[in-house]
């Protein structure tokens, strides 16, 4: 099946008609649809699902009310309007158009505010008459059965559910397994085999009823009875074994839950350990800082008095400077006084040796008196200058290391910052300790229990296989006995001929079916493992191994099963299973992935992008900018992109789809 | 704070104790706290000397009538007359060595109280 065109009408956020051409060639099978969150990517996937199957489940798994798909802008017109999705596709060389529609009108009394007026579905192949409405679901099932559609049309956000469902011990696991076998084409063979088994049993009973009453026949009939009883017993054993297997699966599931808890405990334990290490590092820093403080104080214990000592030193400096200035002034005045006294006594100028007159002498005498007065008024110079200078030198010794205060303040701040950090970490540590205090799980014991459970399950599966083999052997014995009985019965009896034929057919079919199932399962396992090794970025992962129930286990390079898997790893495993099923499927279909990279890192995204074009002949990727950067990521798809669309916002509840080939 | 009486010798300021110095019991308790709990000083001697500098800078009122346990002689405590200079410059001019115990002790008690109240070392030593 290949999709050719999708036409939406008033569906979800798409008001009016939107048409997407989906026809791509095998050489460029990728269709990219870009759209931010809440713009309508998931609505596109829902539109396709609704058109095909008439029902859609939300991400929580609940069935959606189809009236919710009615576009809000169309509702605002307060008139009856159509909500429809039309899919044009090609299957087995025949083009068809499938259209599902809903005629609605607004009604505030309804929970959805919309009331259905009428609804319908049309399927029109271009080579014949329209298909009757009642036959349409069967036609669609033949192309892409609803039960297997999850493997083709899926939401990346819910991808991990496949694997989880396979692991669960309830009926959903059986449903998924049946779906997987549907993809692989097993049900048709199973039905045929069962029909023939019933027919054979009936024919054999007839033969037994008409068998000749001979001694030989009596013996054979006794053996047939014994064989039937043995088969019955073995089948009862098988039921019991399967019950035990289911119980083991449940125990394993419970262990997985506990191991998941262990993960969070381990995380808390590691976080607490890391906090303790950080605290210890910080404490070491603090100790180093304390050593610096001690060393500083030890070398400059007088630091607290530094400002006072500095002040004193400065005062002494000023005092000595003032004293020096005073002494200079006194010297100058005394020198001047001497000159004047000489002038008065010699009556000659001391500079030019010229005779001075009486007035000049009187002035000199006056000046001498003034100088004497000035000198008398001047303070007495310091007498113990040497002592003071010594003190100053002592003070200077104190002041040599001038940056102590600043440095000590810095060091104190460094300690404070670290102590605050330690307080924060201690609070976290306390909270984690509280979490861990309630933990009584023995992690190592749980892990070993888990491994044991896996071994038991494998043993149980082997036992089931053995039992099934024994039953098939007994059935073969029964067939031989029946044949012996047939030989004793009239050769011409038609019932004998029918029984012989049916018995042979049954044998052939049983063998084929088991062989086919086993080989398909192995093939799926191999394909999934092959895809997984291409997709995973974890070098220690060796691949996947498939169980009898299609559950995929990750195996590391030491051939150990990885018991706990991250959400990202779950997604890769699920994608590997889907990829393998698509590869092994009896009928090909389009693969549509909505937000496929949600949980994945860039390494895994890149690998999936490189792998995507190989999944099938038509692969649609609905991506948002957070998971796909067109500028950087488009190159990983090579030249395999056939079409690109962008969902653009028109209004809060309205989007439209435009071609995006030009970015 | 209770006064400390040395097991071997009880001294007070009235005695001639110019070459041996120490603190009261409370003073030593303070030293122990500052050295061991707060880890601010290399040892008791550094704490005592820093306390003297603190006391000098704050012109602290010396402890009156304390009973001191001597711990250090002048040779181990003093460095080229620095303590003497320091105290003189702080105004304790009359034979400063007689006041060393009392000033150191009073300063230690004050520093202890501030440390207990959560002050950092630098804020104790340098802030008013």
């Amino acid at each position: 099946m290949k999709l050719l065109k999708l036409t939406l009408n008033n569906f979800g956020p798409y008001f009016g008609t939107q048409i997407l051409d989906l026809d791509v060639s095998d050489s460029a099978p990728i269709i990219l649809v870009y759209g931010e969150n809440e713009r309508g990517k998931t609505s596109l996937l829902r539109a396709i699902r609704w058109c095909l199957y008439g029902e859609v489940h939300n991400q929580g798994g609940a069935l959606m009310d189809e009236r919710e798909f009615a576009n809000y802008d169309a509702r605002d017109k307060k008139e009856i309007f159509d909500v429809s999705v039309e899919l044009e596709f090609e299957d087995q060389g025949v083009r068809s158009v499938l259209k599902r529609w809903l005629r609605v009108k607004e009604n505030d009394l309804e929970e959805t505010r919309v009331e259905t007026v009428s609804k319908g579905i049309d399927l029109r192949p271009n080579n014949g008459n329209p298909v009757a409405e009642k036959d349409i679901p069967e036609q669609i099932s033949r192309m892409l059965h609803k039960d297997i559609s999850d493997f083709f049309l899926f939401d990346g956000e819910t991808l991990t559910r496949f694997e989880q469902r396979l692991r669960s011990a309830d009926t959903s696991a059986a449903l998924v397994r049946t779906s997987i076998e549907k993809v692989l084409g097993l049900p048709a063979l199973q039905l045929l085999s069962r029909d023939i088994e019933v027919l054979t049993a009936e024919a054999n009973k007839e033969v037994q009823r008409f068998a000749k009453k001979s001694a030989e026949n009596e013996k054979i009939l006794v053996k047939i009875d014994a064989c039937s009883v043995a088969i019955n017993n073995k089948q009862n054993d098988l039921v019991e074994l399967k019950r035990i297997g289911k119980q083991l699966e449940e125990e394993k599931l419970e262990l997985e839950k506990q191991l998941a808890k262990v993960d969070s405990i381990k995380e808390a334990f590691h976080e607490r350990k890391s906090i303790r290490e950080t605290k210890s590092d910080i404490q070491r820093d603090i100790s180093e800082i304390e050593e610096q403080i001690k060393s500083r104080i030890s070398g400059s214990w007088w630091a607290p008095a530094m400002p006072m000592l500095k002040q004193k030193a400065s005062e002494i400096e000023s005092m000595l400077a003032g004293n020096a200035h005073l002494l200079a002034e006194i010297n100058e005045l005394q020198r001047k006084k001497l000159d004047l006294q000489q002038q008065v006594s010699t009556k000659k100028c001391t500079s030019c040796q010229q005779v001075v007159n009486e007035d000049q002498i009187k002035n000199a005498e006056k000046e001498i008196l003034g100088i004497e007065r000035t000198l008398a008024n001047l303070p007495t110079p310091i007498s113990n200058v040497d002592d003071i200078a010594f003190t100053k030198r002592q003070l200077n010794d104190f002041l040599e290391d001038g940056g102590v205060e600043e440095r000590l303040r810095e060091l104190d701040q460094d300690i404070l910052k670290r102590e605050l950090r330690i307080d924060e970490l201690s609070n976290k540590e306390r909270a984690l300790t509280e979490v861990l205090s309630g933990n009584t799980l023995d992690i190592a014991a749980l892990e070993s229990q888990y491994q044991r459970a896996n071994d038991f399950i494998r043993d149980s599966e082997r036992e089931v296989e053995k039992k099934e083999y024994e039953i098939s052997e007994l059935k073969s014995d029964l067939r031989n006995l029946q044949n012996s009985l047939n030989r004793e019965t009239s050769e011409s009896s038609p019932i004998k001929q029918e029984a012989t034929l049916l018995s042979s057919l049954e044998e052939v079919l049983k063998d084929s079916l088991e062989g086919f199932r086993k080989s398909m399962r192995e093939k799926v396992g191999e394909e999934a493992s092959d895809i997984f090794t291409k997709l995973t970025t974890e070098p220690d992962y060796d691949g996947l191994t498939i169980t009898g129930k299609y559950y995929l286990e990750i195996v590391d390079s030491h051939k150990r099963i990885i018991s706990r898997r991250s959400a990202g790893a779950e997604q890769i495993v699920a994608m590997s299973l889907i990829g393998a099923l698509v590869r092994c499927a009896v009928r090909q279909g389009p693969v549509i992935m909505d937000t496929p990279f949600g949980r994945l890192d860039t390494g895994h995204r890149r690998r999936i992008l490189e792998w995507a074009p190989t999944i099938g002949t038509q692969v649609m990727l609905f991506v948002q900018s957070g998971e796909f950067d067109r500028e950087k990521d488009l190159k990983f798809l090579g030249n395999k992109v056939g079409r690109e669309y962008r969902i653009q916002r028109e209004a809060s509840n309205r989007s439209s789809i435009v071609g995006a080939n030009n970015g | 704070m209770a006064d400390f009486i040395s097991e071997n010798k009880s001294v007070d300021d009235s005695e001639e104790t110019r070459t041996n110095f120490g603190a009261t019991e409370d003073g030593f308790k303070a030293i122990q706290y500052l050295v061991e709990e707060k880890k601010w000083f290399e040892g008791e001697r550094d704490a005592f000397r820093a306390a003297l500098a603190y006391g000098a800078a704050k012109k602290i009122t010396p402890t009156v009538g304390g009973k001191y346990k001597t711990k250090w002689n002048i040779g181990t405590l003093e460095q080229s007359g620095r303590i003497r200079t320091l105290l003189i410059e702080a105004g304790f001019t009359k034979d400063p060595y007689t006041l060393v115990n009392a000033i150191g002790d009073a300063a230690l008690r004050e520093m202890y109280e501030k440390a207990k109240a959560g002050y950092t070392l630098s804020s104790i030593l340098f802030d008013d």
Side-chain angles (χ1 to χ4, degrees):
Chain A
M1 183 194 198
K2 186 175 183 181
L3 303 180
L4 301 172
K5 194 161 81 176
L6 173 68
T7 307
L8 308 174
N9 194 30
N10 296 324
F11 188 93
Y14 305 104
F15 177 55
T17 303
Q18 296 280 326
I19 300 172
L20 270 85
D21 193 340
L22 304 176
D23 193 6
V24 283
S25 67
D26 290 357
S27 58
I30 301 280
I31 299 166
L32 276 169
V33 181
Y34 307 103
E36 299 305 355
N37 294 340
E38 307 293 318
R39 289 275 63 86
K41 294 189 300 298
T42 304
S43 291
L44 280 182
L45 182 63
R46 285 174 178 162
I48 294 168
R49 282 192 155 281
W50 182 66
C51 184
L52 288 169
Y53 309 114
E55 60 178 47
V56 175
H57 292 86
N58 63 20
Q59 288 185 335
L63 187 66
M64 293 179 76
D65 187 326
E66 60 191 358
R67 290 172 298 177
E68 286 177 35
F69 302 139
N71 177 267
Y72 280 89
D73 289 324
R75 295 182 197 191
D76 288 346
K77 294 199 176 295
K78 311 284 181 193
E79 292 166 0
I80 291 176
F81 66 98
D82 282 355
V83 180
S84 68
V85 179
E86 189 177 293
L87 259 180
E88 190 176 335
F89 59 87
E90 188 181 293
D91 185 61
Q92 313 272 306
V94 178
R95 281 183 172 234
S96 304
V97 177
L98 174 71
K99 182 178 178 181
R100 192 180 292 273
W101 55 270
L102 203 59
R103 185 154 294 163
V104 295
K105 68 175 181 186
E106 195 168 40
N107 182 347
D108 288 340
L109 297 173
E110 293 285 334
E111 199 182 335
T112 53
R113 291 177 48 238
V114 172
E115 176 191 340
T116 304
V117 177
S118 59
K119 59 195 270 187
I121 183 167
D122 302 316
L123 176 59
R124 294 170 192 276
N126 68 350
N127 66 344
N129 294 326
V131 178
E133 192 169 335
K134 65 176 177 50
D135 297 331
I136 293 174
E138 194 189 324
Q139 288 270 343
I140 292 169
S141 290
R142 268 191 225 139
M143 289 181 281
L144 190 62
H145 197 286
K146 187 174 70 182
D147 290 351
I148 65 169
S149 63
D150 274 355
F151 302 112
F152 292 86
L153 321 171
F154 61 86
D155 181 347
E157 293 289 317
T158 58
L159 197 55
T160 53
R161 268 198 222 138
F162 296 125
E163 282 285 297
Q164 284 162 3
R165 279 168 66 191
L166 276 173
R167 280 200 284 175
S168 71
D170 59 21
T171 48
S172 74
L175 280 176
V176 179
R177 281 193 284 275
T178 310
S179 303
I180 288 175
E181 296 200 331
K182 253 181 209 161
V183 176
L184 303 174
L186 274 151
L189 280 173
Q190 283 168 325
L191 282 175
L192 185 60
S193 174
R194 252 176 251 143
D195 288 350
I196 289 175
E197 195 178 336
V198 171
L199 290 172
T200 309
E202 282 169 3
N204 283 339
K205 273 180 193 160
E206 281 297 294
V207 171
Q208 285 163 29
R209 213 149 53 86
F210 290 107
K212 282 183 207 164
K213 298 284 179 195
S214 70
E216 191 57 32
N217 275 0
E218 280 298 322
K219 277 186 201 165
I220 294 171
L221 283 169
V222 168
K223 282 182 184 172
I224 284 175
D225 277 349
C227 201
S228 298
V229 168
I231 289 172
N232 214 24
N233 289 342
K234 296 267 180 202
Q235 274 171 337
N236 287 341
D237 290 349
L238 193 62
V239 169
E240 179 61 11
L241 271 173
K242 284 184 176 171
R243 191 193 63 75
I244 292 168
K246 191 180 167 191
Q247 200 176 322
L248 284 168
E249 290 281 1
E250 278 167 5
E251 279 170 25
K252 183 180 163 187
L253 212 67
E254 186 52 40
L255 282 168
E256 275 171 2
K257 277 184 200 158
Q258 292 197 37
L259 281 167
K261 214 189 282 174
V262 165
D263 275 346
S264 69
I265 286 165
K266 268 190 172 174
E267 212 171 284
F269 180 79
H270 286 306
E271 197 182 345
R272 188 176 68 171
K273 192 174 162 217
S274 153
I275 283 174
R276 285 179 175 170
E277 283 167 0
T278 311
K279 273 175 69 181
S280 163
D281 288 346
I282 296 173
Q283 200 53 60
R284 246 196 314 279
D285 282 357
I286 290 177
S287 296
E288 279 173 21
I289 297 169
E290 282 169 350
E291 288 307 311
Q292 288 183 48
I293 288 175
K294 286 176 189 173
S295 162
R296 278 281 176 169
I297 292 282
S298 194
S300 303
W301 54 265
W302 53 87
M306 281 263 208
M308 181 266 282
L309 294 168
K310 205 182 267 181
Q311 173 71 26
K312 289 283 170 189
S314 165
E315 282 169 17
I316 289 175
E317 183 88 35
S318 306
M319 188 165 62
L320 288 175
N323 195 51
H325 182 74
L326 177 66
L327 286 173
E329 193 181 348
I330 290 169
N331 283 341
E332 177 59 24
L333 287 169
Q334 283 177 339
R335 190 194 56 73
K336 204 171 178 183
K337 185 183 157 193
L338 272 174
D339 274 358
L340 290 167
Q341 282 173 335
Q342 202 176 345
Q343 190 177 326
V344 170
S345 64
T346 59
K347 295 189 168 89
K348 278 185 184 171
C349 171
T350 51
S351 309
C352 60
Q353 297 300 320
Q354 284 185 355
V355 177
V356 293
N357 60 29
E358 279 304 313
D359 287 345
Q360 285 171 320
I361 286 170
K362 278 181 186 167
N363 282 343
E365 284 169 347
K366 261 190 207 167
E367 214 173 324
I368 287 167
L369 284 172
I371 287 171
E372 282 172 347
R373 270 198 302 275
T374 305
L375 282 169
N377 285 334
L378 282 174
T380 315
I382 298 165
S383 57
N384 58 340
V385 170
D386 287 347
D387 290 347
I388 292 171
F390 176 71
T391 305
K392 185 174 173 265
R393 278 198 298 279
Q394 277 185 315
L395 290 175
N396 283 343
D397 284 349
F398 278 115
L399 301 175
E400 266 171 14
D401 188 4
V404 185
E405 179 182 341
E406 197 186 355
R407 186 64 190 135
L408 280 178
R409 285 191 192 278
E410 281 172 9
L411 293 170
D412 267 349
Q413 283 309 308
D414 287 349
I415 287 183
L416 275 181
K417 275 184 216 157
R418 283 164 177 78
E419 284 175 344
L420 277 175
R421 180 76 185 122
I422 283 183
D423 280 350
E424 278 172 26
L425 292 170
S426 297
N427 286 339
K428 276 190 190 168
E429 187 188 348
R430 264 193 297 280
L432 289 169
T433 302
E434 225 164 85
V435 170
L436 291 170
S437 65
N439 165 44
T440 52
L441 291 174
D442 182 342
I443 296 168
L446 272 179
E447 281 177 340
S448 111
Q449 262 178 294
Y450 182 79
Q451 284 297 342
R452 263 205 312 279
N454 267 324
D455 292 344
F456 285 150
I457 287 167
R458 279 172 194 282
D459 288 349
S460 148
E461 282 173 358
R462 269 196 291 271
E463 201 58 36
V464 166
E465 274 175 27
K466 195 178 149 199
K467 213 48 98 176
E468 281 172 344
Y469 175 76
E470 285 169 3
I471 291 170
S472 80
E473 287 289 294
L474 281 169
K475 282 186 175 173
S476 169
D477 289 350
L478 187 66
R479 271 193 297 276
N480 290 336
L481 286 167
Q482 194 62 49
N483 288 340
S484 306
L485 192 67
N486 289 346
R487 274 195 296 278
E488 296 299 317
T489 315
S490 166
E491 283 298 321
S492 56
S493 163
I495 192 74
K496 179 197 148 187
Q497 285 172 2
E498 187 189 332
T500 310
L501 180 66
L502 284 170
S503 176
S504 308
L505 252 178
E506 187 194 339
E507 199 167 352
V508 169
L509 260 173
K510 288 270 182 215
D511 289 349
S512 311
L513 181 62
E514 276 319 302
F516 183 66
R517 175 184 272 133
K518 200 174 167 199
S519 74
M520 284 312 280
R521 193 169 57 222
E522 282 169 4
K523 195 174 171 207
V524 168
E526 282 165 19
E527 293 285 1
S529 189
D530 177 53
I531 293 168
F532 182 78
T533 49
K534 285 190 176 91
L535 298 185
T536 186
T537 54
E538 173 52 58
D540 273 353
Y541 289 167
D542 195 46
L544 299 172
T545 175
I546 196 161
T547 70
K549 293 174 178 174
Y550 297 97
Y551 175 60
L552 291 164
E553 306 268 23
I554 302 176
V555 180
D556 70 8
S557 50
H558 303 289
K559 304 292 172 203
R560 286 178 306 212
I561 288 171
I562 304 298
S563 57
R564 276 160 288 141
R565 318 196 300 204
S566 66
E570 287 286 5
Q571 192 166 346
I572 295 292
V573 171
M575 219 169 248
S576 305
L577 174 64
I578 286 171
L581 289 172
V582 171
R583 276 189 198 174
C584 299
V586 282
R587 293 187 76 139
Q588 293 299 311
V591 176
I592 303 178
M593 305 188 199
D594 178 16
T595 325
F597 310 113
R599 291 174 184 276
L600 302 173
D601 55 40
T602 46
H604 283 112
R605 285 176 198 186
R606 180 183 170 165
R607 289 186 176 209
I608 289 175
L609 284 171
E610 287 167 346
W611 165 71
T614 67
I615 306 172
T617 52
Q618 187 178 36
V619 181
M620 289 175 76
L621 301 176
F622 298 165
V623 293
Q624 41 101 346
S625 59
E627 59 178 341
F628 187 93
D629 181 341
R630 189 176 186 275
E631 295 290 309
K632 291 179 189 163
D633 297 330
L634 197 59
K635 61 177 180 286
F636 299 126
L637 291 166
N639 52 2
K640 304 289 184 186
V641 180
R643 292 187 186 277
E644 285 182 90
Y645 292 102
R646 184 177 300 282
I647 303 173
Q648 64 183 25
R649 179 185 186 276
E650 298 288 336
S652 63
N653 275 322
R654 194 199 294 185
S655 299
S656 64
I657 303 170
V658 293
N661 293 54
N662 298 319
Chain B
M1 284 180 153
D3 284 343
F4 174 79
I5 298 169
S6 167
E7 284 175 20
N8 304 317
K9 188 184 178 189
S10 177
V11 291
D12 63 35
D13 285 344
S14 61
E15 293 179 62
E16 192 59 30
T17 57
R18 305 293 185 270
T19 55
N20 290 294
F21 305 102
T24 63
E25 185 186 16
D26 288 337
F28 275 111
K29 262 188 201 165
I31 286 177
Q32 192 182 6
Y33 180 72
L34 298 174
V35 173
E36 288 171 19
E37 289 285 314
K38 302 302 286 184
K39 298 184 172 62
W40 284 343
F41 304 104
E42 198 72 65
E44 293 179 330
R45 189 186 66 156
D46 279 353
F48 189 73
R49 289 199 302 202
L52 283 174
Y54 171 89
K58 310 278 182 212
K59 297 190 176 18
I60 204 161
T61 307
T63 302
V64 179
K67 299 291 180 192
Y68 301 98
K69 180 189 175 186
T70 56
K71 180 91 182 180
W72 307 280
N73 66 39
I74 192 154
T76 52
L77 197 66
E78 181 58 301
Q79 268 180 335
S80 45
R82 281 182 193 251
I83 290 176
R84 187 184 166 80
T85 308
L86 190 68
L87 296 180
I88 289 171
E89 292 306 325
F92 302 107
T93 49
K94 191 189 164 196
D95 195 0
Y97 281 149
T98 58
L99 289 172
V100 163
N101 290 349
I103 292 170
D105 195 72
L108 283 167
R109 291 167 188 238
E110 207 171 289
M111 285 167 71
Y112 171 82
E113 294 300 332
K114 287 185 176 178
K116 276 277 185 188
Y119 287 86
T120 61
L121 178 64
S122 57
S123 68
I124 292 173
L125 298 185
F126 302 112
D127 293 342
D128 292 331

